[in-house]
Amino acid sequence: MQEQDDLITRARAWLAEDPDPETAAELRALVEAGDTAELADRFSGMLQFGTAGLRGELGAGPMRMNRNVVIRAAAGLAAYLKAQGHDGGLVVVGYDARYKSADFARDTAAVMVGAGLRAAVLPRPLPTPVLAFAIRHLGAVAGVEVTASHNPPRDNGYKVYLGDGSQIVSPADTGIAAEIDAIAALADVPRPESGWEDLGDEVLEAYLARTDEVLTPGSPRGVRTVYTAMHGVGKDVVLAAFARHGFPTPVLVAEQAEPDPAFPTVAFPNPEEPGAMDLSFATAAEANPDIVIANDPDADRLAVAVPTDDGGWRMLRGDEVGALLAAHLVHKGARGVFAESIVSSSLLGRIAEAAGVGYEETLTGFKWIARVEGLRYGYEEALGYCVDPEGVRDKDGVTAALLVAELASELKEQGRTLSDLLDDLALAHGLHATDQLSVRVSDLSVIASAMARLRAEPPTSLAGLRVVTAEDLSRGTESLPPTDGLRYHLDGDHKARVIVRPSGTEPKLKCYLEVVVPVAEASDLAAARVRGQEILDAIKKDFSVAAGI
């Protein structure tokens, strides 16, 4: 009974300082109904700030995304920046079109001004890469993007960048978290009604002008595309970018063209999820384009689909697009370092080696990729591509779309396709077949149990191939800092590899698989693809058993 009374007391204290009438009403109803189970879930702790910032379900209480939590996060960030000597510095704030995003952005700007910093807010919901660009363009000391990217409709998030234009990494995250924890009451956080700058379209125009650096002057621009914004904020910027560079106007997937926080046509607004691209392919069946392209809701990721021999469409894996863009950049004479996360295909390393350019592997996430010294190009398999690191030090689904369109246009003039170039890469470097085993859970303990089981009893063989090395990445390696992950290399000529890690942004356990099948000549490609998928399927089956998932 004492525990229940304490829960109600804490809920009422939270309610007393809730600045949002909507979440206040929600919490009041839970208190009046005596719903202790729901209250216990919402008050079991505080939504934790980490290297991914904040991300969670919208709602009342400290374990949900709401104005109270965001104001505290903004105050913690402001205190951290001032402690780092940035008093009076500029913080740029961007936001997507999700529920509460505009509110969270305004709250952030108010907190920054109240803390003695300057704040500037982007003029409307815009792609995340515009915010990442704006930080360096405006000489800001930090940036905040309010977005949950491709998470479900009821989620929102809070992504923090520092003045170099890249996302925070440790120890900045722990420093900010400590400042958040030090905030006793919301009343202690000054929030003036004005004082920040509402930016106009100048920043967006500067971003679009920067895209000129991505393409080769006079390059082919004839590819025909179908495009979906996936109910997000990408449409206007993508159309403006394509028009600026003389590409044919993309045919829009009308049902998904405009921002809609309900994401009514998809179960999850992520091009990788089953069914998410169905409307795009239906539109393509009518429009008969050369390629289909898609952004996720905040337009920092890009999906690409190509026609198949049977008249259908196939969405390329992120690893395939990553390799295509790398090959195109090599063809364009790009120099510098090509980088990828450890869960991405090893094909990039082979392309880089053959081209004589630098290559580096990092931990998962563009917060790591963007920090590679001398970076010229970075990608990871989750549809993220950084093709202009001097402009945007993060993944950028708009500039990546332009570069894919240029490549497809160049191939089209030669009577060739993206699929043909993938065949060329397989012949040159072996067929790098990749797949993923991704398990979404409602109970996070399932993920912890699976990781504990794998650490206690690591698999000794998968798909009949002996596990020759089993690395616990939480201990770090010579080249990587510690991270919660496991990596296995298998015996045999196929250089098979498995990496398993909890997702940093969703309640998922993710397993990344790769095998390499040597290919002697073009006539062997079909059989190599079949063989590669057979091995991947067998590994996936055995690994599911080993992990207990």
Side-chain angles (χ1 to χ4, degrees), residues 461-501:
S461 70
L462 297 167
L465 302 171
R466 184 171 59 90
V467 176
V468 292
T469 62
E471 297 173 276
D472 187 343
L473 299 177
S474 67
R475 299 168 182 163
T477 71
E478 288 185 5
S479 58
L480 297 170
T483 187
D484 187 10
L486 301 164
R487 179 165 59 184
Y488 308 92
H489 287 95
L490 311 186
D491 196 13
D493 297 333
H494 291 112
K495 301 180 176 65
R497 182 200 71 187
V498 178
I499 298 174
V500 57
R501 57 179 282 273

Side-chain angles (χ1 to χ4, degrees), residues 70-81 111 175-181 183:
V70 165
I71 290 166
R72 290 170 181 272
L77 173 60
Y80 174 83
L81 292 172
V111 170
I176 296 168
E179 297 287 2
I180 295 171
D181 290 343
I183 297 162

Side-chain angles (χ1 to χ4, degrees), residues 22 43 70 116 120 129 155 162 171 177 201 214 224 246 271 354 367 405 411 419 457 463 480 517 520:
E22 185 176 331
F43 285 83
V70 165
D155 286 4
L162 294 182
D201 281 343
V214 174
R224 293 175 297 110
K367 57 183 174 285
L411 291 167
S419 296
E457 300 178 35
L480 297 170
V517 183

Side-chain angles (χ1 to χ4, degrees), residues 150-193:
H150 55 274
N151 274 39
R154 287 300 303 170
D155 286 4
N156 212 327
Y158 198 82
K159 186 183 292 188
V160 176
Y161 299 74
L162 294 182
D164 62 356
S166 56
Q167 297 174 49
I168 57 168
V169 295
S170 187
D173 58 338
T174 54
I176 296 168
E179 297 287 2
I180 295 171
D181 290 343
I183 297 162
L186 225 56
D188 299 334
V189 181
R191 286 183 289 131
E193 294 293 323

Side-chain angles (χ1 to χ4, degrees), residues 45-402:
M46 178 72 78
L47 205 59
Q48 289 300 299
F49 188 94
T51 53
L54 293 170
R55 194 173 293 190
E57 183 181 350
L58 290 163
M63 286 297 289
R64 298 288 187 269
M65 281 294 295
N66 50 63
R67 291 183 61 196
N68 190 325
V69 166
V70 165
I71 290 166
R72 290 170 181 272
L77 173 60
Y80 174 83
L81 292 172
K82 292 174 72 174
Q84 298 297 309
H86 295 308
D87 200 2
L90 175 67
V91 178
V92 189
V93 184
Y95 58 104
D96 67 11
R98 284 177 176 266
Y99 296 117
K100 300 289 183 181
S101 286
D103 294 337
F104 295 165
R106 283 192 296 270
D107 282 334
T108 298
V111 170
M112 296 302 157
V113 172
L117 294 152
R118 293 178 295 126
V121 182
L122 294 184
R124 57 185 173 278
L126 287 168
T128 293
V130 177
L131 181 278
F133 166 82
I135 295 165
R136 299 177 73 202
H137 177 69
L138 296 174
V141 299
V144 172
E145 177 70 15
V146 180
T147 181
S149 189
H150 55 274
N151 274 39
R154 287 300 303 170
D155 286 4
N156 212 327
Y158 198 82
K159 186 183 292 188
V160 176
Y161 299 74
L162 294 182
D164 62 356
S166 56
Q167 297 174 49
I168 57 168
V169 295
S170 187
D173 58 338
T174 54
I176 296 168
E179 297 287 2
I180 295 171
D181 290 343
I183 297 162
L186 225 56
D188 299 334
V189 181
R191 286 183 289 131
E193 294 293 323
S194 61
W196 58 89
E197 180 183 2
D198 290 312
L199 295 168
D201 281 343
E202 297 82 6
V203 168
L204 178 58
E205 290 302 322
Y207 169 83
L208 289 169
R210 176 68 202 184
T211 65
D212 295 353
E213 302 298 320
V214 174
L215 304 179
T216 301
S219 63
R221 309 284 165 93
V223 71
R224 293 175 297 110
T225 59
V226 158
Y227 169 74
T228 179
M230 203 67 70
H231 298 296
V233 298
K235 182 199 71 174
D236 291 345
V237 180
V238 167
L239 290 181
F242 271 57
R244 178 183 181 91
H245 296 292
F247 289 102
T249 303
V251 175
L252 299 177
V253 178
E255 302 92 332
Q256 298 174 336
E258 300 302 327
D260 187 337
F263 303 107
T265 68
V266 290
F268 292 96
N270 178 356
E272 293 179 293
E273 293 284 348
M277 294 291 287
D278 287 355
L279 286 172
S280 299
F281 297 157
T283 303
E286 296 291 328
N288 194 32
D290 299 305
I291 59 173
V292 173
I293 56 176
N295 286 137
D296 67 340
D298 69 326
D300 63 350
R301 299 172 195 253
L302 176 74
V304 180
V306 296
T308 57
D309 292 338
D310 61 3
W313 288 85
R314 180 177 81 86
M315 196 177 107
L316 299 179
R317 292 189 174 278
D319 285 319
E320 292 176 304
V321 177
L324 288 169
L325 290 175
H328 186 44
L329 287 168
V330 166
H331 174 67
K332 286 157 66 82
R335 309 304 295 172
V337 178
F338 285 23
E340 64 180 339
S341 62
I342 58 172
V343 299
S344 304
S345 172
S346 60
L347 177 55
L348 183 68
R350 298 194 176 196
I351 293 171
E353 182 181 12
V357 300
Y359 169 73
E360 191 166 328
E361 277 189 324
T362 74
L363 295 183
T364 306
F366 272 82
K367 57 183 174 285
W368 299 108
I369 294 172
R371 284 181 160 74
V372 169
E373 188 173 349
L375 180 68
R376 175 59 186 87
Y377 168 64
Y379 100 92
E380 65 180 6
E381 54 74 43
L383 310 184
Y385 316 95
C386 175
V387 302
D388 178 27
E390 289 306 305
V392 176
R393 288 191 181 173
D394 198 5
K395 55 187 178 292
D396 183 346
V398 179
T399 50
L402 289 173

